[in-house]
Amino acid sequence: MFIGVRELEQHELTFREEFPPGTIDFRTPDFRQAAPVHVQVSAEISGQEIHVVGRLATQLELHCARCLEPVSQKLEPSFDLRYRPVAAICREEEIKLAPDDADVGFYTGAGLFLADILAEQVHLALPMKTLCREDCRGLCAGCGANLNRERCRCGPHAVDPRLAPLAALLGSGETAGAGKKKKSSKKN
Ligand SMILES: [Zn+2]
Ligand SMILES: [Zn+2]
């Protein structure tokens, strides 16, 4: 869906649309779109400024910041955005943007792609930090155990996690010999 200046100059645009996963480029490996993005938008132009108002709803799959397990996150942000042509800004470089203009975006050429607007709004709506639950215990820095559901395997002589790689190297010989499972000698 393209929100074009020419068309807006004829009439206001109002529409609903659905973007299945894969049709919006979020430019990040941090999350996955797990449901269609449903969007309801109206757009109009005054002078050269495009005004876009709407709301979207979707579901993402992110990862817990502590234990890295997948977390499902519903987003339903609404938005009220203004875009000015980049060319106009270049000419008026010296003009200081008023404080309430802080949210003004820019468009180049003939208009805006709705998918780009949606990608940006999804990013803005993401929580600062995603947790699978408030009291997620995360991963042990030493052994990598998910402490929500397994015990730390570092043992009683837990090493400083920063030295764990070194300890693993030094201990590898012992560990190999420590396995007490002796194979019973084959019968002759
Ligand atoms: Zn977690
Ligand atoms: Zn551990």
Side-chain angles (χ1 to χ4, degrees), residues 49 82 84 89 95-106:
E49 189 175 277
R82 290 169 191 282
R84 291 178 189 162
I89 289 302
I95 296 177
K96 284 175 186 158
L97 293 176
D100 65 327
D101 282 352
D103 290 333
V104 171
F106 302 101

Side-chain angles (χ1 to χ4, degrees), residues 88-161:
I89 289 302
C90 290
R91 283 200 301 272
E92 300 161 19
E93 242 172 357
E94 299 304 316
I95 296 177
K96 284 175 186 158
L97 293 176
D100 65 327
D101 282 352
D103 290 333
V104 171
F106 302 101
Y107 66 90
T108 51
L112 291 154
F113 282 101
L114 179 59
D116 291 339
I117 296 177
L118 298 179
E120 189 180 16
Q121 293 308 307
V122 165
H123 276 284
L124 291 173
L126 285 175
M128 291 290 285
K129 190 176 190 178
T130 306
L131 294 177
C132 60
R133 58 184 210 220
E134 268 311 306
D135 61 346
C136 171
R137 300 174 67 199
L139 303 177
C140 170
C143 65
N146 182 336
L147 302 175
N148 295 319
R149 56 168 193 248
E150 43 187 354
R151 282 170 178 270
C152 164
R153 296 182 291 267
C154 293
H157 308 294
V159 286
D160 184 325

Side-chain angles (χ1 to χ4, degrees), residues 2-105:
F2 188 70
I3 302 174
V5 171
R6 284 284 146 77
E7 196 173 355
L8 289 176
E9 281 168 351
Q10 306 299 316
H11 55 85
E12 186 182 325
L13 285 173
T14 305
F15 52 90
R16 287 164 182 268
E17 202 166 332
E18 188 179 312
F19 292 80
T23 52
I24 297 178
D25 181 6
F26 292 102
R27 298 189 181 90
T28 176
D30 294 346
F31 60 79
R32 193 176 67 80
Q33 185 188 330
V37 171
H38 292 277
V39 64
Q40 205 176 325
V41 167
S42 68
E44 59 184 2
I45 193 164
S46 76
Q48 288 188 298
E49 189 175 277
I50 299 176
H51 187 195
V52 183
V53 180
R55 51 183 298 178
L56 70 87
T58 191
Q59 195 159 343
L60 304 181
E61 186 185 289
L62 301 91
H63 293 276
C64 174
R66 289 185 196 151
C67 71
L68 310 180
E69 289 292 308
V71 179
S72 182
Q73 173 84 51
K74 250 188 184 176
L75 295 180
E76 292 180 315
S78 51
F79 46 89
D80 184 335
L81 309 161
R82 290 169 191 282
Y83 295 89
R84 291 178 189 162
V86 165
I89 289 302
C90 290
R91 283 200 301 272
E92 300 161 19
E93 242 172 357
E94 299 304 316
I95 296 177
K96 284 175 186 158
L97 293 176
D100 65 327
D101 282 352
D103 290 333
V104 171

